[in-house]
Amino acid sequence: MSVKALKGFKDILPGEVETWQRIEQTARDIFQRFGFNEIKVPILEKTTLFKRSIGEATDIVEKEMYTFADRNGASLTMRPEGTAPVLRAYVEHGLQVKKPVQRLYTIGPMFRHERPQKGRLRQFHQLSAEVLGSGLAMLDAEVMAMAALVLRELGLTVSLEINSLGCRKCRPGFNQALVDFLAQHADKLCNDCERRRQTNPLRVLDCKNEHCREQYKNSPSILEHLCKDCREHFTEVRKNLDLLNIDYKVNSFMVRGLDYYCRTTFELLTDNLGAQSAVGAGGRYDGLVKQLGGPDVPGIGFALGLERLALLMEHQGLSSPESKADIFIAALGEEALNRAFILVHALRNAGLAATMDHQGRSLKNQMKQAGRMGASFTLIMGEEELSRNKVILRDMASREQQDLELSTDLSSWAADLKKIINQNPS
RNA sequence: GUGAGCGUAGCUCAGCUGGUUAGAGCACCUGGUUGUGGCCCAGGAGGCCGUGGGUUCAAAUCCCAUCGCUCACCCCA
């Protein structure tokens, strides 16, 4: 058996990659409009970075990280999410002094050792954006609006759900109320919820079990336990979303898997991803920058899952086609082949996507190749034409052909040909 | 970590109450056109039937194991 890719690691092949490029390009364009700058950060970090940010007791840290010892014994981890590395870079380079409010985005792979399933891989890719330096509710709304716009410009329809998780002041009170509630119903919980009750009570809220859901309808709501500041913040967020005409639904059962979230959290949801429903999610993480040794600045961010977006695009019939050639050069005979080799280079220099067959195959075969790669035009270089110093230009869609006089100045000849081709895009 | 389903050509799959040389469609190559693609027709190439063991006169087919993939749970983008 030949070597295959690791479980949960996928190749993105020609034909699929174009959709990814389109997603990235759309997002980059929109992020730029919102004043975000790209930052590229490493994939490997010290393990402590993630333990300190995501939280020691989370599933991600406890059982999903690709963690291993470096040759010198240091514990390294392949990033399971993008916020921590970006904040690390922000702190390390003192980016807070360059702009009072930093808007950063990054694109790249993340790694979590989970069992793969639809829309979930061990190496997956995220587009993530962070705003550091402002706790204003306007930013919460703006960030959500930006994420929603990316989806909209891609032609995707998703729903936005928001919630507030409170802060260090008010969440403990809610937590206690929830624990008390669960204690009263302990005998009626499913096995998973019983476990969650001990380890992470908040998590019971998004249990999929019908019976549990039924009971939790009467459970205490986080929104009723918010402190005055958090309550006001949440009200402001909602008001600002309304001002921007962003549709959303408040879901007080929405929980996040990372410890650092506080106040606003949100998810972009779809029904078309199998068991996975979130194509994007994010929230506020005031206090995290300070926790990582930086200034005490608030932050908010979100991530979009690229595989999930690509899956949705495919599901909606929005996949991008494989990129095509502008022109194919079909050469007949050894002499023509040599001249075609030079010509194709001149065409590429002129900015055309030009390609040829180097094997000396039959014209029929070369025409077939031209058609297969979607070339709009084919240049036929046969000995007969070359003896007259000409080539045939064939419009593949209309099947019309014309003779073109060759020139010794190949670069200007190629530039002229480019003009002809651009006038007749097929 | 748990559960279920599936492994046959590059891809999608048929064949599986055991029975000769394992099939189809798509894709690929050649020809029908001495130098003209898409459609059509003809031909061709391409398989340790995931792997190992067992039952049997005989295994793609039945049994066991193992590996792999997929989906779901947990959890998450």
Side-chain angles (χ1 to χ4, degrees):
Chain A
M1 218 8 137
S2 54
V3 178
K4 299 204 289 192
L6 294 173
K7 181 199 284 289
F9 288 66
K10 275 254 190 323
D11 302 308
I12 301 153
L13 303 173
E16 319 178 87
V17 83
E18 292 78 8
T19 301
W20 282 64
Q21 289 169 339
R22 161 113 189 280
I23 294 169
E24 286 184 28
Q25 197 183 337
T26 303
R28 282 198 149 94
D29 178 52
I30 291 170
F31 289 179
Q32 195 251 8
R33 279 185 244 163
F34 277 78
F36 283 70
N37 292 106
E38 182 169 3
I39 179 169
K40 289 180 184 287
V41 292
I43 285 166
L44 266 184
E45 297 277 358
K46 285 185 184 165
T47 301
T48 51
L49 173 65
F50 301 111
K51 286 193 174 173
R52 276 162 57 186
S53 56
I54 299 170
E56 295 263 7
T58 57
D59 275 23
I60 292 178
V61 170
E62 271 185 0
K63 50 192 195 195
E64 294 175 359
M65 294 205 303
Y66 277 90
T67 296
F68 55 87
D70 192 7
R71 286 170 181 277
N72 59 15
S75 179
L76 305 182
T77 294
M78 294 172 76
R79 64 185 189 193
E81 60 102 36
T83 299
V86 169
L87 298 207
R88 193 226 77 231
Y90 173 87
V91 172
E92 185 168 337
H93 299 98
L95 297 185
Q96 73 279 2
V97 306
K98 299 189 175 164
K99 289 181 189 171
V101 179
Q102 276 284 355
R103 294 163 179 247
L104 303 168
Y105 77 88
T106 193
I107 302 179
M110 308 294 162
F111 305 84
R112 292 183 200 170
H113 193 106
E114 303 178 89
R115 284 284 274 269
Q117 65 189 69
K118 191 179 180 71
R120 168 197 283 168
L121 295 171
R122 288 185 173 178
Q123 175 177 334
F124 59 103
H125 299 76
Q126 289 185 336
L127 271 155
S128 62
E130 322 288 346
V131 178
L132 303 167
S134 175
L136 293 176
M138 268 190 198
L139 275 309
D140 301 42
E142 198 169 303
V143 151
M144 286 185 242
M146 180 168 83
L149 188 57
V150 172
L151 277 293
R152 205 184 75 196
E153 289 204 4
L154 286 172
L156 299 173
T157 309
V158 297
S159 59
L160 171 65
E161 294 193 356
I162 69 170
N163 192 22
S164 176
L165 295 182
C167 63
R168 278 181 303 280
K169 276 185 285 178
C170 50
R171 203 183 317 174
F174 168 68
N175 214 52
Q176 190 53 53
L178 186 61
V179 167
D180 293 345
F181 172 86
L182 293 174
Q184 285 168 32
H185 298 76
D187 51 330
K188 285 171 271 177
L189 301 178
C190 71
N191 291 340
D192 284 329
C193 279
E194 179 53 29
R195 179 176 49 74
R196 293 178 182 118
R197 189 166 79 89
Q198 322 280 348
T199 57
N200 192 348
L202 278 182
R203 293 235 68 90
V204 303
L205 295 179
D206 65 359
C207 180
K208 289 175 184 169
N209 184 295
E210 292 276 342
H211 295 290
C212 293
R213 281 176 171 264
E214 192 59 34
Q215 296 180 66
Y216 301 149
K217 281 182 181 167
N218 303 315
S219 69
S221 166
I222 176 76
L223 295 178
E224 282 158 18
H225 284 77
L226 295 180
C227 63
K228 183 165 172 288
D229 287 348
C230 285
R231 199 165 56 239
E232 283 175 6
H233 183 87
F234 194 55
T235 304
E236 279 290 302
V237 170
R238 298 180 58 172
K239 196 186 85 189
N240 287 318
L241 283 171
D242 291 337
L243 286 175
L244 299 180
N245 270 319
I246 307 290
D247 285 331
Y248 66 90
K249 195 180 118 193
V250 174
N251 176 4
S252 64
F253 288 79
M254 192 175 86
V255 185
R256 313 264 56 239
L258 294 79
D259 280 359
Y260 55 62
Y261 284 114
C262 67
R263 291 194 169 169
T264 316
T265 58
F266 62 96
E267 289 185 350
L268 294 156
L269 303 168
T270 174
D271 297 329
N272 299 319
L273 280 177
Q276 265 59 247
S277 55
V279 285
R284 187 159 273 292
Y285 44 77
D286 302 345
L288 180 57
V289 177
K290 186 181 181 194
Q291 197 180 317
L292 292 176
D296 188 6
V297 296
I300 182 167
F302 70 90
L304 297 172
L306 271 173
E307 312 22 45
R308 290 181 184 184
L309 283 174
L311 232 39
L312 269 188
M313 298 283 283
E314 190 189 354
H315 178 269
Q316 309 283 30
L318 297 169
S319 302
S320 300
E322 201 163 333
S323 57
K324 294 177 172 178
D326 294 321
I327 187 162
F328 186 94
I329 290 81
L332 297 162
E334 201 172 325
E335 148 106 37
L337 208 51
N338 286 327
R339 294 185 64 174
F341 184 63
I342 297 164
L343 187 61
V344 91
H345 187 64
L347 294 174
R348 288 167 177 165
N349 272 334
L352 287 168
T355 187
M356 67 177 285
D357 172 75
H358 302 79
Q359 318 295 320
R361 296 186 211 247
S362 70
L363 179 60
K364 177 177 177 158
N365 186 295
Q366 294 190 60
M367 292 301 294
K368 206 167 169 181
Q369 290 185 60
R372 192 157 47 202
M373 54 187 66
S376 337
F377 290 86
T378 297
L379 212 52
I380 300 166
M381 301 178 71
E383 322 225 300
E384 195 185 299
E385 291 78 30
L386 286 179
S387 68
R388 291 184 287 127
N389 203 36
K390 291 186 170 169
V391 292
I392 299 171
L393 181 67
R394 177 182 177 87
D395 182 323
M396 295 299 276
S398 69
R399 315 181 86 159
E400 282 167 19
Q401 302 192 164
Q402 57 177 301
D403 279 6
L404 291 184
E405 183 94 31
L406 276 173
S407 155
T408 46
D409 184 355
L410 270 187
S411 63
S412 70
W413 189 88
D416 288 345
L417 183 58
K418 187 182 177 188
K419 280 180 206 151
I420 297 175
I421 288 175
N422 287 341
Q423 276 162 20
N424 307 280
S426 359

